[in-house]
Amino acid sequence: MTESAPHATDDILFGLDAERLHAVRESRLAATLDRIFSSHAHYRARFAELGIRRADIRTLEDLRKLPITSKADYMAAPDSFVLVAGPQADDEERAQWDTMYTTGSTAAPTPFVSTSYDFLNILAANVNMMRLRGVTALDSVLNLFPLTLYPHGAFARALHAPAAFGIPVTAALPGKASARRPEVGRRLDEIVALAARVQPSILWGVPSYIRTLLGRAEEQGVRLPSVRLVFVTGEGFGEAARAAMLDALRRLGAAEPRISISYGATEMQGGMVECTAGSGYHNPAPDQFLIEAVDPQTHLPVADGAPGLLLLTHLDRRGTVMLRYSMGDVAELTRSPCPHCGALTERLTSIPFRVDGLVKIKGMLVNPLVLVDSVNALAGIADFQALVRKQTPSDPLSPDQLIIRLAMSNTATEGLVQRVIEAVRSAIRVTPEVELVDAVEISAGRGWKAKPLIDERATPA
Ligand SMILES: [Zn+2]
């Protein structure tokens, strides 16, 4: 390999000054661009179309000459984002290690391919996430992510990260993964008992499930004094929610619990994490990921601290590789060292929020148009409206609820409600509840432009 890698002893988060980190990133980008211009089907075609040559992109600064890559580009042809290993690639760079899928339920789930080389990078990034979050050699993890139909980074990497860090991990496997194997997966009470037995110091999962678990533990008089850290990811989680969960932990005997929030992405197989509450979300591997913030309309860079559309560039991957990939969220980005931990890497200093048409329901990325299409396809419906809200509107931690308000026509036949539930579930893999209403009720509340999905959840602060 020709690229100048950082020395093995260099600490990418805390060991390099700005100049050296910049040099590492430039050399990684140059090597990535060489591979892309020779063997990345999507970008080769796209750049040829736009007349962009390899020589046009010499520095990190030059990246802005490249178009942004949308989620739609990726979803349309995910295989074209996988590098074809050239003759120089070694076995590690070539061997496919695993394929994870985006949580999106739009059309087909999108595969994200990692080679063995990438998997080692993922482990390094996962270890950095744990260091930023203050994990020590004395910690132990209870992984509370469920099994999913398609392999997903959350469950898998919450096993791999402790393995790479060298601390124990217990997988709780909440829920039943499949009716075919009813013995796989655990009920809530079994997981409360498991937590009481193993007394983990770290709970890691989606906030709504952890909240439910803590509530049930309290009902049963179970104590969890060992818990000192909670890692949450995958759902919006504001400061009120954080305070409520910390109270719940203290009631279970935790002395000084902390909660670290992650802004996770399948395309990172990890996430940007807080080192301390309010510190912002740190890019855990600046040698692997470059984060930019641009104006959502013009795609020109915004100043540090101004809200911008987040773009991810892979600096060192061999499987699926993306340049200036739009993560679909807007947030404020800063490049100054963290005042809390001193890490020199990008941080998001505000909670990212979605800008495109995709909506997250129960942790699934849903295209509202796919949902609407699935219901539109059924006969016997006078009108309908889809809305998503929190089960308890005042509680940001309460689960999402997808409601289909349905007005039947007089041609409706028996079993329509069940068919609506089935159609929506199979289209977006979220099970809705159906409320029967009069057509007038739906049309009365509708503005000049019908929205496919009304989101009644509070927008993140
Ligand atoms: Zn920090």
Side-chain angles (χ1 to χ4, degrees), residues 365-389:
L365 207 48
V366 166
N367 183 342
L369 297 173
V370 172
L371 186 169
V372 167
D373 283 349
S374 71
V375 182
N376 268 333
L378 299 173
I381 294 174
D383 202 353
F384 74 95
Q385 184 178 54
L387 61 93
V388 57
R389 64 186 174 211

Side-chain angles (χ1 to χ4, degrees), residues 210-295:
I210 293 177
R211 205 264 316 244
T212 304
L213 176 76
L214 299 180
R216 186 65 184 146
E218 191 173 0
E219 276 172 18
Q220 297 190 338
V222 165
R223 306 284 287 166
L224 294 173
S226 56
V227 176
R228 66 174 204 94
L229 279 168
V230 176
F231 296 163
V232 295
T233 187
E235 289 175 12
F237 190 80
E239 290 310 312
R242 180 172 355 225
M245 185 176 282
L246 288 173
D247 280 343
L249 287 161
R250 288 189 200 100
R251 289 198 299 276
L252 297 175
E256 285 177 53
R258 290 194 299 120
I259 297 171
S260 170
I261 304 173
S262 165
Y263 169 62
T266 292
E267 297 81 8
M268 298 174 83
Q269 287 300 298
M272 298 177 74
V273 295
E274 292 180 312
C275 65
T276 187
S279 65
Y281 312 102
H282 305 49
N283 171 3
D287 54 337
Q288 301 183 35
F289 310 120
L290 180 85
I291 312 290
E292 296 174 84
V294 298
D295 183 290

Side-chain angles (χ1 to χ4, degrees), residues 13-14 21 25 132 261 263 268 271-286 289-293 302-308 310-311 327 330-352:
L13 284 173
F14 302 105
L21 177 58
R25 298 178 111 182
L132 285 164
I261 304 173
Y263 169 62
M268 298 174 83
M272 298 177 74
V273 295
E274 292 180 312
C275 65
T276 187
S279 65
Y281 312 102
H282 305 49
N283 171 3
F289 310 120
L290 180 85
I291 312 290
E292 296 174 84
V302 298
D304 271 18
L310 299 175
L311 306 182
M327 300 172 85
V330 163
E332 295 160 18
L333 180 81
T334 177
R335 294 169 179 83
S336 58
C338 175
H340 302 279
C341 69
L344 181 62
T345 186
E346 299 102 325
R347 273 176 303 130
L348 308 180
T349 53
S350 65
I351 297 176

Side-chain angles (χ1 to χ4, degrees), residues 90-375:
D90 62 28
D91 291 347
E92 220 166 77
E93 296 174 287
R94 203 180 286 275
Q96 290 208 357
W97 177 271
D98 64 22
T99 300
M100 295 289 161
Y101 291 81
T102 58
T103 47
S105 63
T106 49
T110 312
F112 184 82
V113 175
S114 296
T115 67
S116 298
Y117 182 97
D118 298 327
F119 182 60
L120 292 168
N121 268 354
I122 289 167
L123 294 180
N126 287 174
V127 164
N128 282 349
M129 287 168 65
M130 299 189 94
R131 293 169 66 213
L132 285 164
R133 292 171 133 175
V135 177
T136 76
L138 300 177
D139 280 306
S140 60
V141 173
L142 183 61
N143 172 359
L144 292 161
F145 289 107
L147 277 185
T148 45
L149 172 59
Y150 292 91
H152 187 256
F155 169 76
R157 305 313 178 204
L159 294 176
H160 297 149
F165 200 85
I167 56 172
V169 56
T170 305
L173 283 179
K176 295 293 171 200
S178 165
R180 290 205 173 90
R181 280 284 176 200
E183 73 275 29
V184 175
R186 292 180 186 87
R187 288 176 295 113
L188 180 61
D189 285 357
E190 294 174 305
I191 293 174
V192 170
L194 181 67
R197 194 170 74 242
V198 303
Q199 289 291 326
S201 65
I202 300 171
L203 304 178
W204 195 350
V206 288
S208 56
Y209 187 79
I210 293 177
R211 205 264 316 244
T212 304
L213 176 76
L214 299 180
R216 186 65 184 146
E218 191 173 0
E219 276 172 18
Q220 297 190 338
V222 165
R223 306 284 287 166
L224 294 173
S226 56
V227 176
R228 66 174 204 94
L229 279 168
V230 176
F231 296 163
V232 295
T233 187
E235 289 175 12
F237 190 80
E239 290 310 312
R242 180 172 355 225
M245 185 176 282
L246 288 173
D247 280 343
L249 287 161
R250 288 189 200 100
R251 289 198 299 276
L252 297 175
E256 285 177 53
R258 290 194 299 120
I259 297 171
S260 170
I261 304 173
S262 165
Y263 169 62
T266 292
E267 297 81 8
M268 298 174 83
Q269 287 300 298
M272 298 177 74
V273 295
E274 292 180 312
C275 65
T276 187
S279 65
Y281 312 102
H282 305 49
N283 171 3
D287 54 337
Q288 301 183 35
F289 310 120
L290 180 85
I291 312 290
E292 296 174 84
V294 298
D295 183 290
Q297 267 78 48
T298 64
H299 298 168
L300 293 172
V302 298
D304 271 18
L309 179 68
L310 299 175
L311 306 182
L312 167 69
T313 291
H314 290 139
L315 295 173
D316 191 25
R317 281 189 64 83
R318 302 297 185 272
T320 302
V321 184
M322 294 143 160
L323 301 174
R324 308 195 86 209
Y325 172 72
S326 167
M327 300 172 85
D329 291 313
V330 163
E332 295 160 18
L333 180 81
T334 177
R335 294 169 179 83
S336 58
C338 175
H340 302 279
C341 69
L344 181 62
T345 186
E346 299 102 325
R347 273 176 303 130
L348 308 180
T349 53
S350 65
I351 297 176
F353 62 92
R354 301 213 69 79
V355 281
D356 57 19
L358 302 177
V359 177
K360 236 177 201 166
I361 306 175
K362 297 183 182 180
M364 299 287 291
L365 207 48
V366 166
N367 183 342
L369 297 173
V370 172
L371 186 169
V372 167
D373 283 349
S374 71
V375 182

Side-chain angles (χ1 to χ4, degrees), residues 20-42:
R20 284 185 63 210
L21 177 58
H22 192 82
V24 167
R25 298 178 111 182
E26 296 252 270
S27 86
R28 289 284 163 93
L29 176 70
T32 294
L33 289 170
D34 287 345
R35 284 186 287 270
I36 278 180
F37 273 86
S38 70
S39 53
H40 191 290
H42 173 82

